[in-house]
């Protein structure tokens, strides 16, 4: 099968590798579409360390092709989304229902291996590392069943790839982790796919005002034009003042979502949020970023928190996001606006880096048997 393999820093190519076989409690999926996420790019650029060679991709969706022993949740032919949230159901976090911060997840996601410590991916008798136990920039992916979510038959599958990671992260931030109250004023820093999903989630929760902030004017235009945002601010030296001016009494937003996670973006959020409001870190550009927090902000009861993957419970939230999309209440299907064949991987990463898309995805027209 064809797969996108990252062999070294900034070295990405399409290779012909073996079709993987599912083991116990694993599912093989014929991939229909796989979303392009900044995290894939971060691996290629060396901002996240993952053992190489590795098949990238962690936003896959498609049809179940084969199941390993002990799988009862899905059957061949089922349309599914592969969530990055992959509960082990055996750690203290999973015990308390916090699947998005499963202890095992942090050990596995960037480790190159599946939960059993091995990889399913091979070429010429050499192992290739796995990414998020998924590696869905390939015609087939083998994924632990705990990460596989069945979705309704009538949904347009290629529009759902982002629900594996980026789009669920944004929707979950606004609807699960720090749910918007009706009538609220919120700001979202970053108008890429995750940020726009956050805005769409906030609008669905009846935010009165959704302020989009980005460096790139075309992204802001897109957020306004699609109705995801009500107001837009070009990020710059006066971002905080520009946000405050749009909030009740100039006191700050109720919730500030930081979908970028670069140096100083959380500080901007803290300054632009009212006393008692909430600042939510959604994205992270580099693993070891640090922030300075003004103690006065904490005494004023501001809450600073974050979310991994939108803090969703995949089998509870992904099907309801799809239902809301199909009902026209959550128009995230418009977020993915560029599709590529995996042979265009270099162009796709370049477009992502140069902001030529809101969200992109690889589409697999047909797969060899
Ligand atoms: Zn991602
Ligand atoms: Zn766990």
């Amino acid at each position: 099968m064809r797969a996108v393999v990252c062999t070294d820093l900034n070295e990405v190519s399409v290779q012909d590798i073996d079709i993987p076989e599912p083991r116990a409690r694993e599912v093989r999926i014929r991939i229909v579409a796989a979303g392009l996420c900044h995290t894939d790019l971060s691996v290629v650029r060396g901002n996240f360390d993952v053992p190489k060679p590795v098949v990238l991709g962690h936003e896959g969706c498609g049809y179940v092709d084969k199941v390993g022993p002990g799988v009862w949740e899905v059957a061949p032919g089922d349309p599914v989304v592969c969530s990055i949230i992959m509960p082990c159901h055996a750690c203290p976090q999973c015990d308390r229902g916090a699947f998005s911060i499963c202890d095992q997840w942090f050990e596995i996601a960037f480790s190159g291996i599946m939960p059993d410590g091995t990889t399913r991916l091979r070429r010429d008798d050499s192992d290739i590392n796995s990414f998020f136990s998924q590696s869905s920039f390939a015609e087939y992916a083998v994924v632990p069943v705990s990460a596989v979510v069945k979705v309704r038959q009538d949904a347009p599958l290629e529009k759902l790839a982002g629900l594996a990671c980026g789009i669920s992260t944004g929707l979950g931030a606004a609807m699960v982790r720090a749910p918007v109250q009706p009538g609220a004023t919120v700001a979202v820093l970053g108008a890429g796919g995750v940020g726009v999903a956050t805005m769409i989630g906030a609008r669905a929760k009846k935010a009165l005002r959704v302020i989009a902030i980005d460096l790139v004017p075309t992204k802001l235009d897109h957020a306004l034009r699609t109705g995801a945002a009500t107001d837009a601010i070009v990020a710059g030296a006066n971002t905080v003042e520009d946000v405050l001016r749009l909030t009740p009494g100039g006191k700050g937003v109720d919730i500030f979502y930081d979908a970028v996670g670069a140096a100083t973006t959380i500080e901007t959020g803290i300054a632009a949020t009212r006393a008692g409001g909430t600042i939510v870190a959604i994205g992270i550009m580099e693993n070891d970023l640090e922030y300075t927090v003004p103690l006065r902000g904490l005494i004023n009861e501001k809450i600073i928190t974050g979310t991994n993957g939108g803090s969703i419970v995949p089998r509870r939230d992904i099907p309801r996001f799809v239902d809301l999309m199909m009902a026209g209440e959550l128009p995230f299907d418009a977020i993915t606006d560029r599709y590529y064949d995996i042979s265009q991987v270099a162009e796709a990463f370049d477009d992502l880096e140069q902001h030529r898309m809101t969200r992109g995805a690889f589409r697999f027209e047909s797969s060899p048997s």
Side-chain angles (χ1 to χ4, degrees), residues 50-368:
V50 173
K52 299 173 188 70
V54 59
V55 174
L56 296 172
H58 61 283
E59 289 198 353
C61 63
Y63 293 98
V64 174
D65 170 67
K66 186 176 181 181
V67 298
V71 171
W72 49 266
E73 295 90 335
V74 292
D78 285 345
V80 293
V81 171
C82 311
S83 178
I84 58 159
I85 295 174
M86 185 179 59
C88 73
H89 298 295
C91 76
Q93 298 294 0
C94 286
D95 284 345
R96 67 184 192 89
F99 295 157
S100 59
I101 48 173
C102 166
D103 288 340
Q104 188 194 59
W105 188 91
F106 291 98
E107 292 167 20
I108 297 297
F110 298 96
S111 67
I113 50 172
M114 303 284 279
D116 73 351
T118 65
T119 172
R120 301 292 161 272
L121 302 169
R122 295 180 74 74
R123 182 194 182 189
D124 300 334
D125 293 327
S126 304
D127 280 349
I128 303 175
N129 291 290
S130 158
F131 190 41
F132 281 94
S133 293
Q134 188 182 132
S135 294
S136 48
F137 288 171
E139 287 167 316
Y140 293 90
V142 165
V143 182
V145 70
S146 66
V148 175
V149 180
K150 188 173 167 178
V151 293
R152 53 194 268 185
Q153 287 278 357
D154 59 343
L157 209 43
E158 66 181 29
K159 299 288 189 185
L160 306 187
L163 288 179
C165 172
I167 291 174
S168 279
T169 297
L171 297 177
M175 300 174 73
V176 179
R177 179 62 185 151
V180 170
Q181 298 300 310
T185 295
V186 307
V188 180
L189 196 149
V194 174
V196 171
T198 308
M199 296 172 208
I200 287 172
R203 295 284 274 167
K205 297 286 277 182
K206 307 296 178 201
L208 196 61
R209 199 155 211 178
V210 175
I211 305 163
I213 309 164
D214 202 290
L215 289 165
V216 184
T218 52
K219 287 180 156 182
L220 293 171
D221 290 343
H222 179 265
L224 287 172
R225 203 173 52 244
T226 57
T230 58
D231 299 87
I233 290 172
V234 179
N238 301 319
T239 301
V240 172
E241 292 72 23
D242 290 345
V243 173
L244 293 179
R245 207 172 296 126
L246 294 172
T247 63
K251 298 292 189 188
V253 295
D254 297 302
I255 310 177
F256 188 99
Y257 298 96
D258 177 7
V260 173
T264 76
T265 51
I266 285 281
E267 278 115 330
T268 299
I270 295 168
T273 301
R274 65 165 169 81
T278 303
I279 301 96
V280 186
I282 306 176
I284 180 165
M285 298 277 279
E286 286 170 46
N287 240 343
D288 50 3
L289 273 181
E290 292 183 1
Y291 290 108
T292 303
V293 176
L295 182 56
R296 174 48 63 191
L298 297 184
I299 299 294
N300 288 353
E301 302 186 8
K302 295 186 188 184
I303 296 166
I304 304 168
T305 186
T307 178
N308 191 42
S311 309
I312 65 164
V313 173
R315 289 200 185 123
R316 178 193 69 189
D317 294 318
I318 288 177
R320 83 182 169 112
F321 291 157
V322 175
D323 284 344
L324 287 167
M325 182 201 92
M326 296 296 279
E329 296 289 325
L330 208 56
F332 65 80
D333 47 326
I335 293 176
T336 305
D337 50 5
R338 293 291 292 270
Y339 287 92
Y340 303 86
D341 181 80
I342 57 170
S343 62
Q344 299 169 288
V345 58
E347 178 189 341
F349 277 133
D350 194 50
D351 286 351
L352 179 64
E353 212 156 28
Q354 301 303 324
H355 310 292
R356 292 191 202 101
M357 61 170 78
T358 309
R359 198 82 182 167
F362 292 115
R363 187 159 42 193
F364 296 81
E365 298 296 348
S366 62
S367 302

Side-chain angles (χ1 to χ4, degrees), residues 19-35:
I19 293 178
E21 283 297 319
R23 294 186 186 171
R25 300 289 292 150
E26 293 177 352
V27 176
R28 185 167 74 197
I29 294 150
R30 179 171 62 80
I31 299 295
V32 168

